[in-house]
Amino acid sequence: MERQRILVVDDEESLCEILKFNLEKEGYDVETAYSAEEALCKPLETYDLLILDVMMGQISGFRLARMLKEKEETAHIPIIFCTAKDTEDDTVTGLNLGADDYISKPFSLREVTARVRNVLRRNQARTPQSDTLSFESLVLNIKRKSCQLDGEDINLTKKEFEILSLFLANKGIVFTREEILNKVWKGEVIVLDRTIDVNITRLRRKIGRYGDNIITRNGYGYGFDA
């Protein structure tokens, strides 16, 4: 089972390291950022939980949360505010921004780990199990943009990943080259049919025995036969 990923964002480096150490002991994969600006340079859509300080540099935790909730790819990520700002107004502001919990400093590490566990459990319960697409032991993780075959990682290009995602989400359906172009390349520069053929050939080779499941219907296009 993949470890859940947490990003701790706080301008107190020592606090970040303490939280990282203790949460990793609980079995989580934890990364840190010492400012909102640094956090925004990370692939935020890949995290399962964000722990945000409120008072940070130019971009506050509240502002960062607002930015994330406005984007479709990060709006679903649960947020815990962990801050010395503990007035009722601050708490209400955080919750109105969509925060899942609000911890006041100073705090006990047992309290933090318990709240993290509860937030992740609640989020998992209410989130549709649609993060993965699979066929037997071939598994795509849509959120993390990863592919595994028999538990081993496979390095797919962005287009190969999107083609395989399209096929696994629509098993048994044959797509014309034009439909694949419209769904995968989406109005990018002119793409030749040959480009699709090359990507399909590479994809078949990379997914081993499941390459035979990517079928060709002459005169029509490609699909995935389950």
Side-chain angles (χ1 to χ4, degrees):
M1 181 177 179
E2 271 188 292
R3 300 207 304 174
Q4 291 173 300
R5 303 187 71 222
I6 298 173
L7 178 64
V8 179
V9 186
D10 197 303
D11 56 6
E12 294 183 49
E13 296 186 21
S14 59
L15 180 59
C16 284
E17 294 309 312
I18 289 171
L19 288 174
K20 175 179 171 67
F21 177 78
N22 283 275
L23 289 171
E24 285 182 339
K25 280 175 47 179
E26 296 292 319
Y28 302 112
D29 184 1
V30 184
E31 294 185 19
T32 60
Y34 304 139
S35 68
E37 290 86 347
E38 182 182 347
L40 287 169
C41 293
K42 294 179 177 290
L44 294 174
E45 70 279 0
T46 67
Y47 294 98
D48 298 290
L49 172 67
L50 302 179
I51 300 178
L52 306 182
D53 184 25
V54 171
M55 301 297 290
M56 295 186 294
Q58 294 184 340
I59 301 179
S60 70
F62 285 159
R63 183 180 170 195
L64 176 59
R66 187 176 294 110
M67 294 165 67
L68 298 177
K69 293 301 181 182
E70 289 173 351
K71 294 183 179 180
E72 182 179 354
E73 62 269 28
T74 53
H76 66 284
I77 302 174
I79 292 173
I80 295 177
F81 283 117
C82 185
T83 177
K85 290 175 67 67
D86 60 354
T87 68
E88 182 178 347
D89 286 346
D90 292 326
T91 304
V92 170
T93 298
L95 296 176
N96 284 341
L97 285 171
D100 293 76
D101 208 340
Y102 200 105
I103 305 174
S104 299
K105 298 177 182 177
F107 51 77
S108 74
L109 292 170
R110 288 183 61 192
E111 177 188 11
V112 173
T113 55
R115 288 177 182 251
V116 164
R117 193 180 306 115
N118 287 337
V119 167
L120 286 170
R121 186 185 298 122
R122 289 201 308 266
N123 192 64
Q124 193 170 32
R126 69 178 178 240
T127 301
Q129 300 304 305
S130 58
D131 284 347
T132 60
L133 294 169
S134 63
F135 177 71
E136 296 181 358
S137 62
L138 178 64
V139 180
L140 291 184
N141 188 305
I142 302 304
K143 186 170 68 171
R144 294 190 170 90
K145 305 294 187 269
S146 64
C147 177
Q148 290 190 324
L149 173 62
D150 298 329
E152 298 292 328
D153 289 333
I154 298 176
N155 185 24
L156 300 183
T157 67
K158 183 174 185 291
K159 296 307 180 188
E160 291 165 357
F161 185 90
E162 291 178 357
I163 291 170
L164 187 55
S165 298
L166 175 66
F167 288 169
L168 290 181
N170 300 276
K171 299 182 188 74
I173 296 176
V174 173
F175 293 92
T176 66
R177 285 178 172 82
E178 183 179 2
E179 287 173 328
I180 295 172
L181 284 173
N182 289 337
K183 292 177 182 295
V184 174
W185 274 266
K186 298 175 184 174
E188 295 178 22
V189 293
I190 296 175
V191 179
L192 302 177
D193 286 353
R194 178 64 181 156
T195 302
I196 297 176
D197 298 337
V198 169
N199 276 273
I200 294 288
T201 299
R202 287 200 310 247
L203 181 56
R204 280 175 169 151
R205 185 172 63 250
K206 288 183 178 181
I207 62 175
R209 64 184 179 277
Y210 295 114
D212 292 338
N213 291 85
I214 298 180
I215 56 173
T216 304
R217 291 287 183 260
N218 292 330
Y220 295 96
Y222 297 102
F224 193 93
D225 187 5

